[in-house]
Amino acid sequence: MSHNHGRKRLSIFVDGNNMFYAQQKNGWFFDPKRVLEYFLGLEGGATLVNAFWYTGLKDPQDQRGFRDALISLGYTVRTKILKEYYDDTSGRYSQKANLDIEIAIDMFNTVDQYDEVVLFSGDGDFERAIELLRSKSTHITVVSTEGMIARELRNATDRYIDLNDVRKYIEKDY
């Protein structure tokens, strides 16, 4: 396997639902455009190969404007309609769209295209996928926040970045 010793090839994967809760918890939101700029700069002017954004939708029209904005920035947007679940303990309905499988499939389908991955998720389900990618000599950075990052995921990754540590570079300016 020949490695290009020039610019690193970077892929970014954003677990939109997971990140929505992380941002709510932190009380600030990041700007998808600034995220791309920051992480490309961080890797010393890497080449962006792919940027994927995964999100659950209430209906096909949901978040239309936001999704169009992401696409115009260069993100590939993957969506799934939220399923409604009844929670016995709270007696409430909650909505959930789990796109972990889609994220893992995209990571492995495009593995030959990149050397570096930035995964925005705190979900421990990605531990095995990340171990496998690292065994293919891919460098993995996980971005999440305290209280939402699974210990297994944090231990499996090459580098962990807390959202609050990069806030000044990626926060959305309103």
Side-chain angles (χ1 to χ4, degrees):
M1 196 170 161
S2 68
H3 275 288
N4 172 1
H5 288 293
R7 294 162 74 97
K8 292 205 178 95
R9 300 167 307 157
L10 177 71
S11 275
I12 295 176
F13 297 85
V14 182
D15 180 343
N17 294 58
N18 188 282
M19 284 298 108
F20 178 75
Y21 293 115
Q23 292 172 92
Q24 257 187 339
K25 182 181 188 295
N26 287 335
W28 61 274
F29 284 81
F30 57 72
D31 179 337
K33 181 174 195 261
R34 293 187 75 193
V35 161
L36 294 180
E37 290 165 354
Y38 176 72
F39 283 96
L40 284 168
L42 191 68
E43 298 309 338
T47 305
L48 183 68
V49 180
N50 281 309
F52 292 94
W53 193 291
Y54 303 82
T55 189
L57 306 177
K58 290 192 208 39
D59 60 67
Q61 296 307 313
D62 189 23
Q63 303 176 45
R64 172 57 54 91
F66 179 59
R67 287 186 283 144
D68 289 347
L70 286 172
I71 291 163
S72 72
L73 288 172
Y75 286 91
T76 298
V77 180
R78 302 259 197 255
T79 60
K80 196 187 254 187
I81 299 293
L82 292 160
K83 287 197 176 91
E84 204 160 55
Y85 295 95
Y86 180 70
D87 181 358
D88 289 326
T89 21
S90 69
R92 288 202 206 102
Y93 283 96
S94 65
Q95 292 183 315
K96 192 167 161 50
N98 192 331
L99 286 115
D100 293 357
I101 294 290
E102 286 78 0
I103 295 172
I105 287 171
D106 284 334
M107 283 180 151
F108 284 96
N109 258 349
T110 59
V111 70
D112 296 333
Q113 299 171 23
Y114 59 76
D115 318 295
E116 303 258 345
V117 165
V118 177
L119 170 65
F120 281 77
S121 183
D123 195 328
D125 290 347
F126 290 116
E127 178 193 13
R128 185 72 187 115
I130 282 184
E131 285 172 352
L132 283 172
L133 289 174
R134 285 184 68 199
S135 73
K136 296 176 184 293
S137 67
T138 301
H139 186 275
I140 317 262
T141 298
V142 168
V143 184
S144 186
T145 199
E146 283 313 312
M148 291 198 69
I149 173 80
R151 194 173 59 244
E152 314 84 70
L153 185 60
R154 193 172 180 159
N155 292 342
T157 191
D158 291 299
R159 175 169 58 182
Y160 168 68
I161 296 178
D162 190 285
L163 280 167
N164 288 314
D165 293 340
V166 293
R167 178 177 182 169
K168 64 173 178 280
Y169 306 109
I170 66 171
E171 186 172 9
K172 195 170 177 57
D173 300 318
Y174 289 100

